Amino acid sequence: MEPLAFGRPPATPGIGEGTTEALPPGTARVGNLLETVGIVIFLALLVGAAVILIRQNRNR
C-alpha cells in the first residue's frame, strides 16, 4: 500500500487552481470587497487597541 503523500493526486482541484466552470459576473469584485472590508475591520481593531493602550499608559 502506498503512503498517502506519494499516492495519486486528488480528484478535486486545489486552492488557487482555476476551474473551468463559468462564474456569475461580478464574483471577483465581491470577493475583493469582502477581503477589503475584512482588512479594514482588522486595522480598525488594531488602531483602537493601540489608542486604549496609549491612553492607559499616559494616565499612570
Side-chain angles (χ1 to χ4, degrees), residues 40-55:
V40 168
I41 290 172
F42 175 76
L43 290 176
L45 290 172
L46 191 65
V47 169
V51 168
I52 290 172
L53 289 174
I54 289 172
R55 284 186 179 181

Side-chain angles (χ1 to χ4, degrees), residues 13-14 16-23:
E17 295 180 11
T19 60
T20 56
E21 298 175 7
L23 297 174

Side-chain angles (χ1 to χ4, degrees), residues 6-51:
F6 298 110
R8 59 191 159 142
T12 57
I15 296 174
E17 295 180 11
T19 60
T20 56
E21 298 175 7
L23 297 174
T27 304
R29 280 186 280 161
V30 172
N32 289 342
L33 178 66
L34 290 175
E35 183 178 350
T36 304
V37 168
I39 291 170
V40 168
I41 290 172
F42 175 76
L43 290 176
L45 290 172
L46 191 65
V47 169
V51 168

